[in-house]
Amino acid sequence: MRRFLLLYATQRGQAKAIAEEICEKAVAHGFSADLHCISESDKYDLKTETAPLVLVVSTTGNGDPPDTARKFVKEIQDKTLPADFFAHLRYGLLGLGDSEYTYFCNGGKIIDKRLRELGAQRFCDTGHADDCVGNLDGVRVLFLSAVHTGVTGGSSSHMGAPSGPRFTFTERTQFRTCG
């Protein structure tokens, strides 16, 4: 059974609900997901984590990470951390937000940027789910597929991904269907 670490950072519960769905789909497809709120740092250790990391991060206020992520963000923002601090990590991140706000999905973007600065490598493009245009379901399905591919190291089977159009990330942080 392939294991991955699944962390969520939520303000009102949406990131937690999506992380729980990812966990359920993972188990149904023979994976083991260790699910934790990002604030429960006593239950995981990214400094020594060898399994793929999946994060679901909401945004609150004026582009801030949720309260549950503030300690984590403060810790990774430490300027004394070496550039290869997370070089051993492979991760995928799904940011949640509303494009009606200036700092769309900024909670996830802050964490994503810093993980990369510290040497972590993405196994899939970062997802940005927009509650304003109602693309949460499509993005969630795409992200489930990307997580499956990242955790398996490239398998073509998808966790809950429907047959039909293939989705790709665009540079504008939205998703579009490809023919």
Side-chain angles (χ1 to χ4, degrees), residues 5-11 13 15-16 19-20 34-46 53-58 66-70 72:
L5 177 61
L6 177 54
L7 302 178
Y8 63 87
T10 194
Q11 191 71 25
K16 180 181 180 184
E20 288 172 341
D34 291 342
L35 175 65
H36 303 289
C37 180
I38 204 165
S39 64
E40 299 174 321
S41 58
D42 60 317
K43 297 182 179 177
Y44 64 90
D45 185 0
L46 293 185
L53 169 65
V54 176
L55 301 109
V56 181
V57 181
S58 67
D67 293 341
T68 58
R70 289 202 177 152
F72 176 81

Side-chain angles (χ1 to χ4, degrees), residues 30-101:
F31 296 93
S32 171
D34 291 342
L35 175 65
H36 303 289
C37 180
I38 204 165
S39 64
E40 299 174 321
S41 58
D42 60 317
K43 297 182 179 177
Y44 64 90
D45 185 0
L46 293 185
K47 291 178 272 187
T48 60
E49 185 61 59
T50 58
L53 169 65
V54 176
L55 301 109
V56 181
V57 181
S58 67
T59 300
T60 191
N62 194 26
D64 300 316
D67 293 341
T68 58
R70 289 202 177 152
K71 180 181 175 192
F72 176 81
V73 169
K74 183 178 179 182
E75 289 172 356
I76 65 171
Q77 294 291 1
D78 180 347
K79 297 298 182 193
T80 65
L81 295 175
D84 64 348
F85 189 73
F86 286 137
H88 61 282
L89 281 179
R90 291 181 59 247
Y91 76 99
L93 187 143
L94 176 62
L96 309 180
D98 183 329
S99 62
E100 289 288 312
Y101 292 90

Side-chain angles (χ1 to χ4, degrees), residues 18 42 115 165 172:
I18 291 172
D42 60 317
L115 288 176
R172 301 187 63 152

Side-chain angles (χ1 to χ4, degrees), residues 2-3 11 29 49 59 61-62 107 125 133 137:
R2 292 190 178 204
R3 177 191 161 276
Q11 191 71 25
H29 286 82
E49 185 61 59
T59 300
N62 194 26
D125 289 339
V133 298
D137 288 338

